[in-house]
Amino acid sequence: MEGVLFWVFGALAVAGTLVVILSRNPVNSAIGLLFCFFTTACLYVLLDAQFVAVIQVLIYAGAIMVLFLFTIMLLNLETDIKKEVTSPGTRILGISIGSGILFEIALLLWHYRITPFLGTYTPEKLSLTGNIQAIGRSIFRDYILPFEILSVLLIIGIIGAVVLAKRD
Amino acid sequence: MLEYIWLIPALPLIGFIINGIIGFRIRKHVVSLVGCGTVFISFLIALMVFREFILLDPEQRFFQKILYTWVSSGSFNASIGFQLDPLSAVMSLVVTGVGFIIHVYSIGYMGHDPGYPRYFAFLNLFMFSMLILILANNFLLLFVGWEAVGLCSYLLIGFWYEKKSAADAGKKAFIVNRVGDFGFIIGVILIFYTFGTVEFKSVFEKLPGMIKAGAVDPFLLTVICLLLFAGATGKSAQIPLYVWLPDAMEGPTPVSALIHAATMVTAGVYMVSRSCIIFAYAPYALDVVAFIGALTALFAASIGLVQNDIKRVLAYSTISQIGYMFLACGVGAFAAGIFHLTTHAFFKALLFLGAGSVMHAIEGETDITKMGGLKEKMPITHITFLIGALAIAGIFPFAGFFSKDAILAGAFERSPYLWFMGISGAMLTSFYMFRVVFLTFYGESRFPHEVSHHIHESPPVMLIPLITLGILSIIGGFIGIPMIEGGNRIGEFLDPVFHNATTILGKAHHEDFLMEVMLILISLIIALGGIYLAVMFYLKKTYLPGYFQEKIPSAYRLIFNKYYVDEIYDYLFVNSIKSFSIWLWEFIDTVIIDGAVNGIAYLTRGIGSIMRRIQTGFVQSYALSIIIGAFVILAYYLFRIRM
Amino acid sequence: MAGLNHYLLLSAIMFSMGVVGFFLRRNVIVILMCVELMLNASNLALAAFAQFSNTIDGKVIIFFVIGIAAAELATGLSIVICLFRNRETVFVDEMNLMKQ
């Protein structure tokens, strides 16, 4: 069951990315991205990371995509296909580099079965305490400093956004 | 007193420093005092040293004072040291004595010149260099003095440097000297290579032993001697490097007297005499020396016959007389050569200073065809000049008679041909010398009217040196009278220095009284004959010079133009070197070197304009570089794993 | 059935799509979306690793990444708005004043 679901959601995610990069209308791209986020959340659930999935939907799909759409609406863009794509040179370069990276990683994955070091958080243990508690405990014990820094970063983001976007 | 020998060169050096640095700020009297005073004290010290010297036994007349070790690198050692033996004692007396006289003369002659302090500074520097040369105890220090006198010669010839001909003459002197010096320094290097040392004492003591043991190649010795002699031809103006000396007359007359008559040009003779023992073991080189000396004597005298510039005549006369000195050295009569050096210093300096006195009176005119009738207006100059002329012609009992005869006697022993060249030169010498005397002082005055009004005798500060030198020219010969018991003092005095060399050459003291008297009589007759001819040509039948000039115009032109030697050198050497230099400049400097430097600039600019295109301003190109970087790193790790 | 490698391959595909899209589009907002795509892909890889190595750190890092993405995007979009006010364009190849 899980295997099938993985393929389904994986295909849907790739389809979403294709929509993002190939549609001429930026709003279409935004919708495609939204779809991609949703399918990724589903994949997170498959990976037994429910909390992360919820966070993904809430923040990414909820806040960030809304921000994107608001900006697109604010700028009131025209859609002209001729102007939407870069020059052929850059295009070729980009496609080749992208496929190059994909090729490299695929090559690696094809030849090696990656077996990481095993830690202590087995799924059974995880289901005992629940995802949220485990993550929360980890954040507030081991990763407290990055947490604080992240909060400072968010404040900076807020201030920056206000300063940059206001009319003077 | 001997310990203070180092003061002899040091004092003129102090004079140079004082006059050189603050000379233009102190009063003229102080400049003269410093300049002449230092030389005078040097002369006194030289006298006292000499006095102490002659009290010693002849065997012990050798003294060395080493100041400090100058070079000590590997097996090569050279020190700053002074050596006193009869040869350097005589030379130092001559140099300081005649030098002092000329310094005093200069006070009067250069009195109105704006470069007065500079003149005395350079003159003192010259005295310092010459004394270093004479008193050095090794070849390297001698070479230092050698080069330094060349430098002073350049500075003093080109003293009036605003005049192009003077500046050119200074350059010519230095460059021609350089050619000779090149040979000289190679000779010194070879000496070091052969003997392992450049110190005179060591070299001269080692040589006989090495010859006996067969440890030294005679051919190498000949090469060394020829190279040393090459340096001597440059410094002492012999064939083929004499061409700078006539041009050097552009300098002030006292400079010509001191440097180019009495002292610097005799440095070559001194050096050859000092190295007599090396030359003695290289008889082929000695023959070359003798031949060049005799040839130069004759050649230069012939040029002097028809020159019209009084200083030029004296210059060629100097070249000729030094030829006699080298002739003496070449036939093994080193003592005679040094004797003639001494007497020549006296009468040649006298002649030059006399000419200077004449020039001083007639506003710098040097053309003798424009002079005449000066003997009434400048009596003392006339008398002293006449004494100098008689001395150089070799008339008994003046100084030149004894020294020249000693040389000719030695030459005759070696080869009658050499003697014949010498005697012909003697005839020409007396002829051209008296030609100058008669044209300058006798006959009718050929001066323009305004000049002849102002002609007056020179001031005492110039006359007293003339008189002093005149007296020396008269009595100076008596230190070398041959054959008389108690005579030939100078020969005996110098004997310890030349003893080994003359023994090797097999020169015994000739006892052939008759032959000597015959030779003396012949030379006297020849000299008087020359004077008689001069009287004929220039006093009595004055149409004769013009007559000959018309009869053999090409010969006259040839001699008058100095056999076109300067032009030949120009064509052969100067022009080819000049065009080579121009080619170097045009091709190598402009194209290659400038091209390389400019090329680097162009390259930098080109690369810059290419690299500029990276700064596109496009976000995507910047991101592209990031992604490419990631791609490359990934690829690298992939390769690491796979391989 | 889906092993770690599969998840990583999927993540790689999504990432390279983001790269291609970055160079394909001229609209700056779409470019920012592609950046979000890339971030998303790496999040997926992190989650996969967290699952298959029995650790919790991967999920924690995702948390932080999402937070950073939010801050960055807020700032970025306000810059875009500023640029639009000045240049009246959102196309990156017209915003090349840095060339001079």
Side-chain angles (χ1 to χ4, degrees):
Chain A
M1 184 60 178
E2 280 190 12
V4 173
L5 280 177
F6 166 74
W7 289 109
V8 167
F9 286 128
L12 284 175
V14 174
T17 60
L18 278 173
V19 168
V20 170
I21 64 181
L22 288 179
S23 68
R24 57 179 88 169
N25 195 336
V27 181
N28 287 350
S29 300
I31 300 297
L33 191 61
L34 195 60
F35 188 62
C36 190
F37 286 153
F38 269 122
T39 50
T40 313
C42 298
L43 282 169
Y44 285 147
V45 173
L46 275 177
L47 284 173
D48 214 7
Q50 301 89 351
F51 176 63
V52 177
V54 170
I55 292 292
Q56 169 101 344
V57 170
L58 270 179
I59 299 180
Y60 255 132
I64 291 179
M65 287 323 299
V66 171
L67 196 57
F68 262 119
L69 287 165
F70 266 122
T71 315
I72 294 174
M73 279 186 342
L74 210 61
L75 297 185
N76 209 6
L77 302 167
E78 300 148 9
T79 61
D80 187 357
I81 183 59
K82 254 199 294 283
K83 290 209 218 152
E84 272 291 335
V85 191
T86 52
S87 59
T90 323
R91 243 185 295 165
I92 292 177
L93 262 174
I95 293 177
S96 49
I97 288 293
S99 35
I101 290 193
L102 180 59
F103 173 70
E104 281 179 341
I105 298 183
L107 200 62
L108 182 65
L109 292 173
W110 180 260
H111 282 271
Y112 289 93
R113 179 168 219 89
I114 299 185
T115 46
F117 280 118
L118 288 182
T120 54
Y121 275 95
T122 55
E124 294 78 28
K125 192 167 167 209
L126 213 52
S127 56
L128 228 70
T129 53
N131 235 332
I132 301 182
Q133 281 96 320
I135 289 181
R137 220 170 276 152
S138 189
I139 288 181
F140 288 104
R141 279 193 204 159
D142 306 319
Y143 294 98
I144 186 71
L145 184 61
F147 178 73
E148 299 298 335
I149 293 176
L150 180 63
S151 45
V152 172
L153 199 67
L154 285 169
I155 294 185
I156 292 174
I158 294 175
I159 298 176
V162 169
V163 165
L164 283 169
K166 70 179 169 102
R167 292 191 189 272
D168 40 10
Chain B
M1 198 65 224
L2 284 177
E3 282 293 314
Y4 293 106
I5 185 179
W6 60 274
L7 273 179
I8 300 182
L11 283 168
L13 181 66
I14 296 176
F16 160 69
I17 293 175
I18 296 179
N19 272 338
I21 296 183
I22 59 169
F24 58 93
R25 259 185 266 175
I26 54 182
R27 290 186 310 161
K28 215 160 70 171
H29 294 308
V30 184
V31 172
S32 327
L33 196 65
V34 169
C36 300
T38 51
V39 179
F40 182 63
I41 301 181
S42 276
F43 175 60
L44 286 181
I45 298 181
L47 264 182
M48 289 196 272
V49 165
F50 184 75
R51 194 185 64 118
E52 221 178 283
F53 218 52
I54 54 179
L55 293 178
L56 295 171
D57 276 335
E59 305 304 315
Q60 291 187 347
R61 286 184 187 154
F62 180 85
F63 175 74
Q64 250 195 68
K65 175 157 180 67
I66 308 229
L67 281 184
Y68 66 89
T69 310
W70 176 24
V71 176
S72 178
S73 120
S75 54
F76 180 59
N77 283 314
S79 51
I80 308 258
F82 299 120
Q83 172 175 317
L84 197 63
D85 62 358
L87 179 59
S88 51
V90 168
M91 292 290 299
S92 59
L93 275 179
V94 168
V95 168
T96 49
V98 176
F100 171 64
I101 294 176
I102 296 180
H103 273 72
V104 172
Y105 180 91
S106 304
I107 301 179
Y109 190 82
M110 300 292 288
H112 299 297
D113 194 291
Y116 192 76
R118 183 163 59 101
Y119 174 82
F120 270 100
F122 287 159
L123 219 58
N124 273 1
L125 183 66
F126 170 78
M127 293 298 293
F128 166 70
S129 320
M130 189 73 200
L131 288 165
I132 290 278
L133 197 160
I134 295 174
L135 294 171
N137 77 338
N138 61 67
F139 277 100
L140 198 62
L141 193 58
L142 186 146
F143 186 66
V144 169
W146 190 271
E147 287 290 311
V149 294
L151 171 73
C152 296
S153 173
Y154 162 79
L155 289 171
L156 284 164
I157 293 174
F159 183 71
W160 293 309
Y161 51 83
E162 288 104 2
K163 210 164 135 203
K164 184 175 195 300
S165 53
D168 285 347
K171 258 192 302 185
K172 184 173 180 180
F174 196 74
I175 294 176
V176 175
N177 256 226
R178 242 11 200 137
V179 176
D181 292 348
F182 177 65
F184 185 78
I185 196 69
I186 295 188
V188 173
I189 293 175
L190 282 177
I191 287 182
F192 174 67
Y193 171 72
T194 316
F195 298 97
T197 169
V198 290
E199 218 182 87
F200 289 145
K201 188 151 175 279
S202 319
V203 171
F204 300 150
E205 276 171 8
K206 271 192 191 176
L207 185 51
M210 287 174 74
I211 292 278
K212 270 208 197 75
V216 54
D217 185 6
F219 177 68
L220 186 63
L221 273 185
T222 310
V223 167
I224 291 179
C225 292
L226 287 177
L227 285 170
L228 291 178
F229 182 59
T233 55
K235 189 67 71 185
S236 299
Q238 298 294 288
I239 293 174
L241 295 172
Y242 67 91
V243 291
W244 61 274
L245 191 50
D247 285 38
M249 297 299 116
E250 295 281 342
T253 310
V255 168
S256 308
L258 180 61
I259 300 186
H260 306 126
T263 43
M264 182 181 103
V265 288
T266 56
V269 182
Y270 167 76
M271 189 264 295
V272 171
S273 306
R274 175 61 79 200
S275 322
C276 54
I277 201 158
I278 311 183
F279 278 90
Y281 281 114
Y284 180 68
L286 262 189
D287 285 342
V288 170
V289 172
F291 178 69
I292 297 258
L295 184 65
T296 310
L298 191 52
F299 178 78
S302 70
I303 300 183
L305 281 180
V306 295
Q307 296 299 313
N308 287 333
D309 183 326
I310 189 175
K311 285 181 74 175
R312 292 280 145 102
V313 176
L314 292 176
Y316 283 106
S317 170
T318 306
I319 299 176
S320 172
Q321 294 299 307
I322 299 177
Y324 279 105
M325 297 179 213
F326 277 116
L327 173 61
C329 292
V331 300
F334 295 101
I338 299 295
F339 182 31
H340 195 61
L341 192 156
T342 314
T343 56
H344 175 263
F346 297 149
F347 55 69
K348 190 47 69 63
L350 171 59
L351 287 170
F352 265 110
L353 294 186
S357 176
V358 167
M359 285 160 61
H360 185 78
I362 55 176
E363 321 268 326
E365 177 64 63
T366 57
D367 193 336
I368 56 178
T369 58
K370 299 208 181 81
M371 305 183 196
L374 282 174
K375 74 172 177 328
E376 288 86 19
K377 303 214 179 129
M378 307 180 70
I380 301 188
T381 308
H382 165 239
I383 300 275
T384 51
F385 200 85
L386 192 58
I387 293 176
L390 287 169
I392 197 174
I395 308 291
F396 180 89
F398 294 92
F401 170 72
F402 297 106
S403 54
K404 194 176 285 193
D405 268 322
I407 296 178
L408 289 175
F412 188 78
E413 265 189 40
R414 181 74 184 82
S415 152
Y417 298 107
L418 287 175
W419 174 82
F420 184 70
M421 286 164 89
I423 202 82
S424 325
M427 157 110 122
L428 295 178
T429 304
S430 55
F431 178 74
Y432 69 64
M433 209 62 240
F434 276 90
R435 166 178 177 257
V436 171
V437 171
F438 294 146
L439 281 178
T440 313
F441 292 99
Y442 291 70
E444 289 162 22
S445 171
R446 293 182 285 275
F447 289 106
H449 193 65
E450 347 41 271
V451 178
S452 63
H453 263 290
H454 294 289
I455 297 179
H456 56 91
E457 186 62 273
S458 300
V461 75
M462 285 165 66
L463 286 181
I464 294 184
L466 284 178
I467 298 174
T468 319
L469 286 171
I471 297 176
L472 283 171
S473 301
I474 299 178
I475 65 169
F478 296 155
I479 53 175
I481 300 180
M483 299 177 302
I484 297 182
E485 199 55 45
N488 204 5
R489 289 287 186 77
I490 190 167
E492 282 171 19
F493 186 67
L494 290 171
D495 191 50
V497 181
F498 302 130
H499 180 75
N500 298 332
T502 49
T503 336
I504 294 164
L505 289 170
K507 288 188 62 57
H509 267 304
H510 48 92
E511 300 291 341
D512 197 348
F513 191 70
L514 186 63
M515 182 57 82
E516 266 210 46
V517 172
M518 280 285 300
L519 288 175
I520 292 181
L521 277 179
I522 294 180
S523 55
L524 200 53
I525 294 174
I526 295 278
L528 287 169
I531 300 182
Y532 175 71
L533 271 178
V535 169
M536 279 295 118
F537 269 64
Y538 296 102
L539 278 188
K540 298 279 172 31
K541 304 191 169 75
T542 45
Y543 56 84
L544 274 177
Y547 174 72
F548 273 105
Q549 214 168 309
E550 274 169 47
K551 271 289 179 175
I552 40 172
S554 48
Y556 174 75
R557 257 203 320 261
L558 182 67
I559 302 184
F560 185 68
N561 285 312
K562 312 162 278 163
Y563 296 95
Y564 298 106
V565 171
D566 272 323
E567 286 77 10
I568 296 176
Y569 278 0
D570 236 8
Y571 179 72
L572 278 180
F573 303 116
V574 178
N575 284 345
S576 47
I577 291 183
K578 240 204 298 191
S579 23
F580 179 60
S581 303
I582 291 181
W583 176 79
L584 275 179
W585 164 56
E586 279 175 359
F587 181 62
I588 295 194
D589 196 32
T590 309
V591 172
I592 294 185
I593 296 184
D594 278 356
V597 173
N598 288 349
I600 291 183
Y602 287 141
L603 192 66
T604 312
R605 214 200 305 173
I607 292 183
S609 64
I610 293 178
M611 300 294 268
R612 196 166 49 85
R613 301 211 203 121
I614 291 185
Q615 300 289 333
T616 51
F618 289 128
V619 170
Q620 279 149 338
S621 23
Y622 299 147
L624 187 64
S625 41
I626 297 177
I627 282 292
I628 289 180
F631 177 76
V632 166
I633 292 178
L634 223 65
Y636 170 71
Y637 276 114
L638 270 182
F639 271 120
R640 284 281 300 265
I641 297 177
R642 302 278 252 127
M643 286 182 180
Chain C
M1 179 185 153
L4 179 58
N5 276 23
H6 299 95
Y7 279 103
L8 290 180
L9 188 62
L10 177 63
S11 153
I13 293 175
M14 288 173 68
F15 184 83
S16 52
M17 297 292 221
V19 170
V20 168
F22 192 99
F23 292 106
L24 207 58
R25 305 297 298 259
R26 285 172 71 231
N27 195 329
V28 65
I29 302 185
V30 179
I31 289 180
L32 278 170
M33 286 190 217
C34 296
V35 173
E36 292 307 312
L37 254 187
M38 290 192 251
L39 278 169
N40 192 44
S42 43
N43 278 352
L44 185 61
L46 276 166
F49 269 113
Q51 167 72 352
F52 285 99
S53 67
N54 294 341
T55 56
I56 196 73
D57 305 292
K59 299 178 182 149
V60 174
I61 295 177
I62 295 184
F63 185 77
F64 289 128
V65 169
I66 292 178
I68 290 173
E72 163 227 336
L73 207 58
T75 319
L77 283 173
S78 19
I79 292 178
V80 167
I81 294 183
C82 264
L83 273 174
F84 181 74
R85 280 206 210 115
N86 277 330
R87 309 282 166 89
E88 299 286 327
T89 177
V90 286
F91 298 122
V92 283
D93 35 2
E94 292 167 20
M95 302 181 195
N96 57 359
L97 248 190
M98 253 178 79
K99 188 170 168 192
Q100 277 83 28

